[in-house]
């Protein structure tokens, strides 16, 4: 059965999924890139950077590659799409990823402000949803054609789907760093009470990959 999942979501050892003070220069917040240092050396990352050759092919790479398998649609929070706040001033902002984003599927962006769909190269189409997480999930599942739907973040979006008990599976890449501040992924959430348990824990080269599943 198709799942709603989070994959390759990096968190610090003290539970932060992004650093503080996110802006155009710091899309992951201050020190946020440290969370992704497990991903940057992988072959998948190198391939995503314009098809560059090389990159590591170990456990971290395998877990990252699995994160893109069987995905028919994505859901993103507005902050994951870009730094623009409030009503859209125009359609000039088209995401962080250039002309060909890495999704290659419909991507449903949660926002309070309407915007026309945005088609990009490579099959990505951003569709902006103003009716909340349930409407986004319904639309994403319809677009996914029986494949899984991946929630790409950010922290607030993952927390909303967790709190609603809608996520079937979470793959977290736990980095051995302490941020001390930022966006806390689990603060105030009782995961066992919500029905989640640890299903797997796999040591990678630069992260420990922990999979949570809903019972």
């Amino acid at each position: 059965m198709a799942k709603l999942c989070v994959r390759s979501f990096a968190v610090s050892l003290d539970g932060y999924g992004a650093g503080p003070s996110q802006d155009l220069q710091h899309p992951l917040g201050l020190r946020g890139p440290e969370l992704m240092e497990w991903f940057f050396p992988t072959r998948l990352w190198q391939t995503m950077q314009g098809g560059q050759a090389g990159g590591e092919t170990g456990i971290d790479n395998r877990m990252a590659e699995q994160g893109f398998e069987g995905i028919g649609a994505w859901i993103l929070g507005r902050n994951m799409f870009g730094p623009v706040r409030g009503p859209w001033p125009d359609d000039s902002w088209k995401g962080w990823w250039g002309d060909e984003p890495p999704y290659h599927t419909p991507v449903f962006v949660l926002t309070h402000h309407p915007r026309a769909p945005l088609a990009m190269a490579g099959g990505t189409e951003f569709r902006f949803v103003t009716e909340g997480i349930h409407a986004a999930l319904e639309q994403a599942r319809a677009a996914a054609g029986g494949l899984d739907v991946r929630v790409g973040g950010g922290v607030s979006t993952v927390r909303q789907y967790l709190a609603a008990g809608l996520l079937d599976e979470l793959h977290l890449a736990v980095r051995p760093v302490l941020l001390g501040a930022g966006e806390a992924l689990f603060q105030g959430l009782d995961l066992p009470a919500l029905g989640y348990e640890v299903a797997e824990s796999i040591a990678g080269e630069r992260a420990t990959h922990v999979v949570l599943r809903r019972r």
Side-chain angles (χ1 to χ4, degrees), residues 4-54:
L4 179 66
C5 57
V6 171
R7 296 182 180 170
S8 300
F9 196 86
V11 295
S12 66
L13 200 58
D14 49 351
Y16 293 100
S21 304
Q22 289 176 285
D23 57 22
L24 183 61
Q25 286 72 40
H26 305 92
L28 296 175
L30 299 177
R31 295 187 59 204
E34 294 179 38
L35 299 177
M36 299 303 297
E37 287 178 355
W38 73 275
F39 182 53
F40 297 143
T42 64
R43 180 178 62 186
L44 177 62
W45 171 255
Q46 298 300 320
T47 301
M48 293 170 64
Q49 302 307 298
Q52 298 179 28

Side-chain angles (χ1 to χ4, degrees), residues 171-191:
H171 160 217
L172 304 173
V174 182
R175 286 276 297 138
V177 297
L178 299 173
L179 293 189
E183 295 191 41
L185 182 59
F186 297 128
Q187 186 174 11
L189 295 177
D190 186 337
L191 295 181

Side-chain angles (χ1 to χ4, degrees), residues 2-193:
K3 299 189 297 287
L4 179 66
C5 57
V6 171
R7 296 182 180 170
S8 300
F9 196 86
V11 295
S12 66
L13 200 58
D14 49 351
Y16 293 100
S21 304
Q22 289 176 285
D23 57 22
L24 183 61
Q25 286 72 40
H26 305 92
L28 296 175
L30 299 177
R31 295 187 59 204
E34 294 179 38
L35 299 177
M36 299 303 297
E37 287 178 355
W38 73 275
F39 182 53
F40 297 143
T42 64
R43 180 178 62 186
L44 177 62
W45 171 255
Q46 298 300 320
T47 301
M48 293 170 64
Q49 302 307 298
Q52 298 179 28
E56 298 179 3
T57 59
I59 293 171
D60 287 344
N61 181 74
R62 175 166 58 84
M63 297 300 293
E65 288 180 341
Q66 288 178 0
F68 284 86
E69 295 172 357
I71 302 299
W74 289 64
I75 297 173
L76 300 180
R78 178 163 170 174
N79 290 0
M80 282 290 292
F81 178 73
V84 181
R85 303 293 184 263
W88 302 97
D90 51 46
D91 292 337
S92 60
W93 180 263
K94 294 179 170 59
W96 303 101
W97 309 277
D99 293 332
E100 186 171 350
Y103 303 106
H104 309 296
T105 69
V107 178
F108 295 84
V109 180
L110 294 163
T111 176
H112 295 295
H113 303 280
R115 179 173 169 174
L118 173 63
M120 306 290 286
T124 298
E125 181 179 11
F126 294 107
R127 304 178 188 177
F128 301 89
V129 181
T130 59
E131 300 87 4
I133 63 169
H134 292 87
L137 177 56
E138 182 179 355
Q139 294 176 41
R141 280 184 166 148
L147 298 176
D148 292 342
V149 175
R150 177 172 168 178
V151 178
V155 170
S156 175
T157 299
V158 174
R159 284 175 53 83
Q160 289 180 68
Y161 280 105
L162 264 176
L166 293 171
L167 283 171
D168 298 301
E169 186 174 286
L170 296 87
H171 160 217
L172 304 173
V174 182
R175 286 276 297 138
V177 297
L178 299 173
L179 293 189
E183 295 191 41
L185 182 59
F186 297 128
Q187 186 174 11
L189 295 177
D190 186 337
L191 295 181

